[in-house]
Amino acid sequence: MRTVFWDPDSRLLKMIDQRRLPAALEVIACRTAAEVAEAIRNMTVRGAPAIGAAAAFGLALAAQESRAADPAGLLADLESAARTLRASRPTAVNLSWALDRVLKSVFIRESATESVDDLRRQALAEAQQIANDDVAANRRMAEHGVALIDDGDVIIHHCNTGALAVVDWGTALGVIRLAHEQGKHVHVLVDETRPRLQGARLTAWELQQYGIPYEIITDGMAGHFLQRGQAQKVFFGADRIAANGDVANKVGTYMLALAAHDNGVPAYCVAPASSVDLSVEDGSEIPIEERDEDEVLGIQLHGERAAPAGARARNPAFDVTPNRLLTAIVTEKGIVRPPFDVNLPRFV
Amino acid sequence: MRTVFWDPDSRLLKMIDQRRLPAALEVIACRTAAEVAEAIRNMTVRGAPAIGAAAAFGLALAAQESRAADPAGLLADLESAARTLRASRPTAVNLSWALDRVLKSVFIRESATESVDDLRRQALAEAQQIANDDVAANRRMAEHGVALIDDGDVIIHHCNTGALAVVDWGTALGVIRLAHEQGKHVHVLVDETRPRLQGARLTAWELQQYGIPYEIITDGMAGHFLQRGQAQKVFFGADRIAANGDVANKVGTYMLALAAHDNGVPAYCVAPASSVDLSVEDGSEIPIEERDEDEVLGIQLHGERAAPAGARARNPAFDVTPNRLLTAIVTEKGIVRPPFDVNLPRFV
């Protein structure tokens, strides 16, 4: 099952509810672009490539919803829906990229003055293509990246970058999965990835499905294992990559990459070219979403919230890993090595 | 109220049950050395100086329990109890230091062939002295360290180093507390400190008592705030400091100190001289306790465990911060600056 997919019978967008995993594997349906925006905002769907595809299908839903009588009216409705979707999460660039791709494909047809229904079909077809392209790009990333993994490697992995983070297969976790399928012995130390625990909940669940051995660690433990020589590689994904190779990714990635660098352990970012944003020169320009403090404060032990009543929290959802800490960036077009400011634009 | 204290009426050791905070402030009583060892092991009492004092009182209880008819018999019982207590937690050296101090004080009296009751009184008196000395040392650490804090500082703090971690007052948090009492405006970003959440539970609770403004962050967020210039100081304690200044402390400290160093932010370790172990040359020789995986896996969201059924975890409770990442070590004898291998032995 794909993480996000179009159901041709109901003509609805369906997606795995990632907030419920691993306790339950449930699929929810979105009927409108506004519902898709809310699903992105509340992290029913998460992972930069997955929210890109979801947003693209959101525009297909907006086209379906639209009561416009002519192409210009439909385009206005799509642009309005795109604004709502674009605002749902600010850091991952795949969201904007996918929206722009659908809008552009519809604009091009509109100039040929096709019917409103033609444009509706075009929006859906482009969203479908984005989803299919994502799956293909994931496989190619894995084929390039698998050469970086050696038999016997212990790999520290941050957040979730598996099938659940994309349409299907996975980015960083997809590389690890292919290595496992090729018979390489790998063991994953899974950063639990506070605050939303995408590692402990989603990556652990995926690794169990794939039969890949793993152990969960808290985010602060990675440094200890790296220092003691007990991990040979570090892998993570990206929500946006600046032109110079700085990587915005789930909060905690910077400290992990720093600990890898301090111990001479290679750190690899795996992401599709659609995560690269050449319009931002370096990571300092990437907006960092700050989410509700309850994501930090809601953690429980024995059914009780850990923090005292009245406690406040901060919750930046991402951080920026400077390019100097990265060994390579793996995209579907190949493995990009430093200097990233020179080499990365060639791969996009 | 002290975190650990001798109750002269019941002749029992009493301590705040730190597993129940902040939900409830409960005091439990230990009747035997074995009960003290168990309270240290299960973290009813934690914090290197606090477990040192608790272990010392544990020997006072062992002396009280002993049915020995002569001084030699009592000493044998004390040595047996000391072995049990010493094994309760391996990383913090204060525990061994306090046990040795009580044993030595009793041995010295024994050579004067005093009565068994005299030796019982001596064990208790020495434990009391250790507790009193700890409070005095904490105040002196704060008086030395407060000069390091500037008005307006935002300080990232790891684990709990407050009154709960010692007999009374606190080490790193004691410095912050004195700065606040002196009228300096400070704001603390409290590392929640997974897995046992000593930051979110205990430090947040203490800061509320003291009226010091704070916000909880997840451990992986510290790097983001340091990188964006939103924190000016980093403070933590120590469980054991090697002769060269390498610091074993709660897991996550190494990654925090590394992020501070990467951004030119000073990182300060505050600990009593009893945490310095000149018998270990560097941090690689310090034993790192690995605790039960359930401390990692037991975390809940909405009353459900986050990790999938059958998940496994690793749980090293401490890590080692290399001396090159420290700006200074604050002890009750003064502020120690690099080179630590030269300067630290002068302060012990």
Side-chain angles (χ1 to χ4, degrees), chain A residues 192 194 254 262 299-300 303, chain B residues 192 194 254 262 299-300 303:
Chain A
E192 65 175 6
R194 282 283 289 151
Y254 162 49
D262 196 45
I299 193 174
Q300 297 174 318
Chain B
E192 64 176 6
R194 282 282 289 149
Y254 163 49
D262 196 45
I299 193 174
Q300 298 173 318

Side-chain angles (χ1 to χ4, degrees), chain B:
Chain B
M1 191 198 313
R2 288 184 171 189
T3 299
V4 293
F5 59 96
W6 184 259
D7 176 11
D9 298 328
S10 63
R11 300 192 60 76
L12 298 178
L13 172 60
K14 297 200 168 169
M15 53 178 74
I16 294 172
D17 186 346
Q18 303 199 33
R19 300 167 305 172
R20 297 283 293 123
L21 281 170
L25 177 58
E26 287 174 7
V27 172
I28 64 125
C30 291
R31 288 161 301 168
T32 65
E35 285 182 7
V36 176
E38 177 56 23
I40 293 171
R41 204 176 296 117
N42 69 25
M43 295 178 73
T44 301
V45 60
R46 33 68 48 200
I51 65 178
F57 283 118
L59 283 188
L61 285 171
Q64 189 169 277
E65 288 172 73
S66 169
R67 313 236 166 171
D70 56 26
L74 183 76
L75 278 179
D77 286 346
L78 288 184
E79 284 180 334
S80 163
R83 275 192 296 277
T84 305
L85 287 160
R86 209 182 297 270
S88 60
R89 297 203 70 191
T91 302
V93 74
N94 312 62
L95 202 164
S96 271
W97 170 87
L99 291 170
D100 289 341
R101 190 170 144 180
V102 175
L103 286 176
K104 199 169 148 190
S105 84
V106 176
F107 270 112
I108 287 167
R109 294 260 169 149
E110 193 260 350
S111 63
T113 62
E114 299 196 31
S115 75
V116 171
D117 269 346
D118 275 349
L119 297 184
R120 287 193 176 104
R121 275 189 291 275
Q122 175 57 34
L124 177 58
E126 191 68 17
Q128 291 278 29
Q129 193 57 50
I130 285 172
N132 292 339
D133 287 354
D134 181 64
V135 179
N138 275 279
R139 290 303 304 229
R140 286 199 298 277
M141 275 180 257
E143 284 154 14
H144 291 302
V146 75
L148 302 171
I149 295 182
D150 295 310
D151 189 50
D153 273 351
V154 174
I155 300 165
I156 302 182
H157 175 275
H158 195 66
C159 198
N160 173 265
T161 65
L164 292 166
V166 299
V167 178
D168 202 3
W169 188 260
T171 57
L173 204 64
V175 174
I176 295 168
R177 187 176 168 185
L178 186 60
H180 170 76
E181 290 193 356
Q182 290 183 352
K184 289 179 183 169
H185 296 86
V186 293
H187 184 97
V188 184
L189 292 176
V190 176
D191 263 1
E192 64 176 6
T193 316
R194 282 282 289 149
R196 290 188 67 106
L197 296 163
Q198 291 93 335
R201 293 192 301 111
L202 307 178
T203 299
W205 181 79
E206 284 199 42
L207 290 170
Q208 281 193 354
Q209 315 293 311
Y210 310 146
I212 300 174
Y214 75 91
E215 292 162 306
I216 296 169
I217 60 173
T218 69
D219 306 328
M221 291 175 187
H224 171 75
F225 291 107
L226 289 162
Q227 195 181 55
R228 300 262 157 149
Q230 293 175 32
Q232 287 72 48
K233 305 280 156 62
V234 163
F235 272 85
F236 46 82
D239 289 81
R240 192 185 308 207
I241 303 176
N244 73 341
D246 289 354
V247 169
N249 189 47
K250 182 55 53 195
V251 72
T253 304
Y254 163 49
M255 294 174 82
L256 173 61
L258 195 56
H261 189 262
D262 196 45
N263 292 285
V265 171
Y268 299 111
C269 172
V270 185
S274 56
S275 294
V276 178
D277 183 355
L278 294 179
S279 79
V280 301
E281 215 168 300
D282 64 56
S284 68
E285 297 171 40
I286 300 174
I288 300 297
E289 175 184 9
E290 183 137 353
R291 295 181 58 85
D292 194 283
E293 65 180 355
D294 205 58
E295 293 186 346
V296 174
L297 297 173
I299 193 174
Q300 298 173 318
L301 294 170
H302 314 299
E304 279 171 357
R305 280 163 77 105
R312 305 299 306 266
R314 295 290 300 274
N315 188 16
F318 303 93
D319 62 23
V320 172
T321 298
N323 59 8
R324 66 186 152 89
L325 302 178
L326 298 174
T327 308
I329 298 172
V330 181
T331 78
E332 68 272 33
K333 296 176 186 171
I335 298 174
V336 191
R337 302 269 180 184
F340 295 109
D341 55 347
V342 175
N343 293 335
L344 191 58
R346 295 183 189 154
F347 280 80
V348 177

Side-chain angles (χ1 to χ4, degrees), chain A residues 86 89 95 119 128 141 145 167 199 287 311:
Chain A
R86 209 182 297 271
R89 298 202 69 191
L95 202 166
L119 297 184
Q128 291 278 28
M141 275 180 257
V167 177

Side-chain angles (χ1 to χ4, degrees), chain A residues 53-115:
Chain A
F57 284 118
L59 283 188
L61 285 171
Q64 189 169 278
E65 287 173 74
S66 170
R67 312 237 166 170
D70 54 25
L74 183 75
L75 278 178
D77 286 347
L78 288 183
E79 284 180 334
S80 163
R83 275 192 296 277
T84 305
L85 287 160
R86 209 182 297 271
S88 60
R89 298 202 69 191
T91 301
V93 74
N94 313 62
L95 202 166
S96 270
W97 169 88
L99 291 170
D100 290 340
R101 190 168 145 183
V102 174
L103 287 175
K104 199 168 147 190
S105 84
V106 175
F107 271 113
I108 286 166
R109 293 261 168 146
E110 193 261 350
S111 62
T113 63
E114 299 194 31
S115 74

Side-chain angles (χ1 to χ4, degrees), chain A residues 18 20 38 60 66-67 82 84 106 127 202 243 261 266 300 326 334 336:
Chain A
Q18 303 198 33
R20 296 285 291 123
E38 178 56 23
S66 170
R67 312 237 166 170
T84 305
V106 175
L202 307 178
H261 189 262
Q300 297 174 318
L326 298 173
V336 191

